[in-house]
Amino acid sequence: EVKAAWKEIAGDFIGANTEPVSVKEGHLVLRVTQPAVRFHLEQLKPELLKKIQSRFGKGKVKSIRFNLG
């Protein structure tokens, strides 16, 4: 569900440089292409989380983790 809508939620740049890996127990794990993008995403994390929660509800995703890969 989140995977299918990710690029629409995240936007073109973030969508092109990340990939949703899983949503388990309310934790969204994103694979990130570069360390610089990961740093940028850490700054945007509250905004991204708010967008996801407004679309899917607060219970679906409670936190976001970034993994380089």
Side-chain angles (χ1 to χ4, degrees), residues 41-58:
L41 289 172
E42 288 290 349
Q43 308 306 307
L44 294 176
K45 189 187 280 191
E47 182 183 329
L48 283 173
L49 190 56
K50 198 179 296 183
K51 283 183 179 181
I52 293 166
Q53 289 175 338
S54 70
R55 179 151 179 172
F56 297 106
K58 291 190 176 188

Side-chain angles (χ1 to χ4, degrees), residues 6 8 11 22 24 28 30-32 39 41 44 48-49 59 61-62 65 68-69:
W6 177 244
E8 183 183 327
S22 66
K24 292 181 183 169
L28 171 62
L30 295 173
R31 182 176 297 124
V32 183
F39 177 79
L41 289 172
L44 294 176
L48 283 173
L49 190 56
V61 176
K62 299 174 190 158
R65 280 192 16 228
L68 285 174

Side-chain angles (χ1 to χ4, degrees), residues 2-3 6 19-30 49 52 60-66:
V2 175
K3 288 181 183 185
W6 177 244
E19 177 187 355
V21 176
S22 66
V23 178
K24 292 181 183 169
E25 298 177 7
H27 305 290
L28 171 62
V29 178
L30 295 173
L49 190 56
I52 293 166
K60 179 81 174 172
V61 176
K62 299 174 190 158
S63 71
I64 303 173
R65 280 192 16 228
F66 305 112

